[in-house]
């Protein structure tokens, strides 16, 4: 009996211990849940903060973007204006000589129809370390591609002298355009890459002499369209010596008597002109003048 009572009286004790454990367990669970929620809460707070600072950054980026867009618009307009001015300048400027204050004299050589003379010219220029501006026709570039490739490799500049050397005043505007792009294609094929020249020399000077204003007004915008300036000369031989003996000695003498700082000398790839070339170069130098290309004469920074 006693045992039974004992048993009974021990039973409620066990029950209350169990309840306490459950109770403690619940408390622990609540605390854990609390800590967990607090953690979650802090994490959410941190995320919200991050989000906010990202949004602020985004706003700043947006502002920067708008600012740059405005700047771009301004620069674009400025660029358009410069292009227009540039085109106008090319449409109006006829180059006959450079700055008279310099000691530079540009050597320009036209046509290039005889391979042996072309190569001799390049040899002389190399020997005397002169860079020149060469105006071969497109046809001559097509016939002797290696020569003109060599010329470019050796630092000379090629100028557009049309494809087939016509009198431009006889041609329609479309034909003039074809003559210019024919030259361009021949040069790019010969050198195996794109080539841009700033300079155009009209065959025979035709269309650009003073007194040919009507033709020049028609022709020069086409030349400008292709990004080029027409280049004449202030020292030449064909017209000047037409009633004279056309010898190397006479050529040298004429060039030296007439060239001064800023001059543009027009020679041709002919036996007499090219045989005079070494003497012209060394005599110019003796007089303190430095033979160079058009780019070197006319551009402040010839590398651009
Ligand atoms: Zn010519």
């Amino acid at each position: 009996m006693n045992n039974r009572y004992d048993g009974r009286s021990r039973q409620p004790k066990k029950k209350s211990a169990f309840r306490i454990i459950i109770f403690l367990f619940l408390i622990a669970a609540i605390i854990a849940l609390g800590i967990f929620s607090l953690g979650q809460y802090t994490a959410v707070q941190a995320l919200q903060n991050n989000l906010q600072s990202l949004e602020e950054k985004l706003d700043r980026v947006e502002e920067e973007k708008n600012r740059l867009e405005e700047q771009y618009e301004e620069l674009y307009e400025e660029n358009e204006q410069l292009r227009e001015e540039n085109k106008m300048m090319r449409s109006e400027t006829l180059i006959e000589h450079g700055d008279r204050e310099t000691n530079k004299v540009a050597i320009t050589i036209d046509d290039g129809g005889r391979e042996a003379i072309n190569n001799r010219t390049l040899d002389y220029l190399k020997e005397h370390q002169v860079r020149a501006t060469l105006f071969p026709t497109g046809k001559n570039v097509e016939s002797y591609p290696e020569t003109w490739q060599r010329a470019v490799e050796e630092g000379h500049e090629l100028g557009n002298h049309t494809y087939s050397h016509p009198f431009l005043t006889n041609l329609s505007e479309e034909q003039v355009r074809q003559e210019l792009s024919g030259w361009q294609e021949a040069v790019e094929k010969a050198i195996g890459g794109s080539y841009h020249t700033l300079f155009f020399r009209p065959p025979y000077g035709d269309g650009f002499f003073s007194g040919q204003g009507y033709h020049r007004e028609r022709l020069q915008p086409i030349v400008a369209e292709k990004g080029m300036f027409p280049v004449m000369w202030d020292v030449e031989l064909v017209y000047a010596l037409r009633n004279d003996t056309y010898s190397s000695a006479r050529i040298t003498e004429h060039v030296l008597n007439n060239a001064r700082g800023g001059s543009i000398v027009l020679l041709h790839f002919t036996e007499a002109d090219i045989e005079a070339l070494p003497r012209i170069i060394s005599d110019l130098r003796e007089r303190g003048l430095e033979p160079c290309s058009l780019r070197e004469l006319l551009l402040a920074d010839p590398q651009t």
Side-chain angles (χ1 to χ4, degrees), residues 46-79:
L47 270 178
Q48 267 173 353
N49 286 345
N50 269 349
L51 206 65
Q52 200 171 350
S53 77
L54 276 176
E55 269 169 6
E56 278 165 22
K57 262 187 209 160
L58 206 65
D59 283 345
R60 281 202 297 276
V61 167
E62 189 78 14
E63 271 170 36
E64 183 69 10
K65 189 184 135 217
N66 289 341
R67 205 175 58 77
L68 286 173
E69 266 173 4
E70 271 169 37
Q71 222 171 33
Y72 174 80
E73 298 263 306
E74 272 170 39
L75 283 173
Y76 186 85
E77 271 169 37
E78 213 173 301
N79 190 20

Side-chain angles (χ1 to χ4, degrees), residues 111-121 140 144 147-148 269-272:
D111 302 343
R114 288 163 64 190
E115 179 70 331
I117 295 179
N118 298 344
N119 283 323
R120 215 184 311 153
T121 308
N140 289 336
Y144 316 111
T147 311
W148 309 105
F269 286 93
T270 61
E271 187 80 36

Side-chain angles (χ1 to χ4, degrees), residues 110-112 135-137 161-162 165 201-205 266-268:
D110 287 12
D111 302 343
F135 286 100
T137 64
H161 196 39
T162 72
H165 213 273
R201 166 143 310 140
Y204 318 101
L266 162 60
L267 302 173
H268 286 85

Side-chain angles (χ1 to χ4, degrees), residues 42 73 78 81 91 95 120 161 286 292:
T42 330
E73 298 263 306
E78 213 173 301
Q81 207 179 326
S91 304
I95 300 169
R120 215 184 311 153
H161 196 39
E286 242 168 62
C292 64

